[in-house]
Amino acid sequence: MSDYDLVVIGGGPGGYVCAIRAAQLGMKVACVEGRGALGGTCLNVGCIPSKALLHASHLYEEANGHFGQMGIVAEPTLDMVKMQTYRSDQVKQLTGGIAFLFKKNKVDWIEGWGRIDGPGKVSVKTPVDSDKTLTAKNIVIATGSEPASLPGVDVDEERVVTSTGGLTLKAVPRKMVVIGAGVIGLELGSVWRRLGAEVQVIEYLDQITPGMDIEVCKQFQKILSKQGIEFTLGAAVQSVEKGPRLTVSYKNRKDDSEGSVDADVVLLATGRKPYTSGLGLTEAGVKVTDRGMVETDANWRTNVEGIYAIGDVITGPMLAHKAEDEGVAVAETIAGQHSHVNYNVVPSVIYTDPEVASVGLTEEELLDQGRAYKVGKFPFMANGRAKAHFATDGFAKVLADKDTDRILGVHVIGPSAGELIHEYCVAMEFGAASEDVARTCHAHPTLSEVMREASMACGDGAIHA
Ligand code: NAI
């Protein structure tokens, strides 16, 4: 007899969702988490605290900007201590919420760091008692990811920070250099710029946010530059020297010339890597890829019977919602149900201002595949609601099959893009054509009308452009 039907290692969005779903399906479940709080990177040092700071810094900027135009006279001052308290309060409430959900669903939270001691066996290094061994019919590895390091850059989480330290700075740096123009660099770079820092982003590639639809990407860079973020593209950071200030040295890729820039804080945001240290994967015989990701089949099974893996630790985009969907699906699979995740319809969002959101294929991917497609675009400038909100930067772009009109990809840069995209996620799940969205009544005045008009532009044409 095993102690549990399922032991999940890791209490982030993949692991905790998996544990709850499995308990709802009648399994006896434990979730091993050693961080001292549930919710993983996302709730503790990722999505949630960054969104709190993005929200607060956005309002601060609005108060210094558009408030005056709307007749609101305010002279905001910044209380960094209070803003950071607001951030950590949000985190506490939400991580406490997961602990409550565990109790409600009778999931045992085993506090400590888990290690697989062979099929069906997990030992836990607990902070208080002596180590525990749990036996389980099934094990799900949901240990997530950690920031990737960069040679020559010594992270101390005070002056040279990753996303973790970048969320908890006690004061606004005069100058921040961000290494990497990916999601983390641009979101946190935006936070500190809005609060008053001079921000320079140094990126290895010749474009920001690799993988994004190029047209959106170009517009995004233009808007961020207009907001005051400086970009140095095509430059590989070599080192960060620590003196009274920090000196970031880089090499320009096109001619190998060297450059350097001083900073008060450096944010290292060059990607994340799977977190598997101390898990005992080698001893347990669980196969990992060259890049350290746990190998799984289409049903999240590893090569060892009864051991599964989901989320950032396996292949695919490192996104909380992708991990959550896999958490549900693997729980259902273990319960003997047929479950699946539609990886073609996983939205991605960058929570800057404006937001950037996309789902499905980019125009470049369609060109690569040699597919015949049509494009419908509509600008936020032509939308009444966006105009009233001073939020006219950006556009929505719908890509549909030239013959069948089936929606293949949607890319939006504009206000609330991260919410607007979901209309198309549902449409794509139902295999909709762009005409289906174009013929659906949308309330006026809403930002969603931009989404409809982009679909109209795929057919006979938008009305308001
Ligand atoms: P990223 O992979 O998005 O971007 C890293 C960037 O660093 C790339 O553009 C890369 O070319 C550049 N880079 C690498 N080495 C460099 C060097 N030596 N010098 C200059 N540039 C260099 O990684 P990021 O932003 O760290 O995010 C990590 C993960 O977290 C991503 O998978 C992301 O999807 C996820 N995430 C998602 C969020 C969201 O959905 N809103 C928010 C935050 C993170």
Side-chain angles (χ1 to χ4, degrees), residues 180 182-184 187 202-204 210 237 269-272 318-319 349 351:
V183 190
I184 292 178
E187 286 186 355
I202 305 181
E203 163 60 46
Y204 179 83
V237 168
T270 50
R272 298 181 62 86
M318 289 185 171
L319 297 171
V349 179
Y351 298 87

Side-chain angles (χ1 to χ4, degrees), residues 315-328:
T315 187
M318 289 185 171
L319 297 171
H321 45 282
K322 175 252 191 192
E324 288 185 41
D325 280 19
E326 288 174 344
V328 169

Side-chain angles (χ1 to χ4, degrees), residues 340-355:
H340 99 131
V341 172
N342 181 1
Y343 290 104
N344 296 321
V345 186
V346 175
S348 73
V349 179
I350 308 179
Y351 298 87
T352 43
D353 180 36
E355 290 183 349

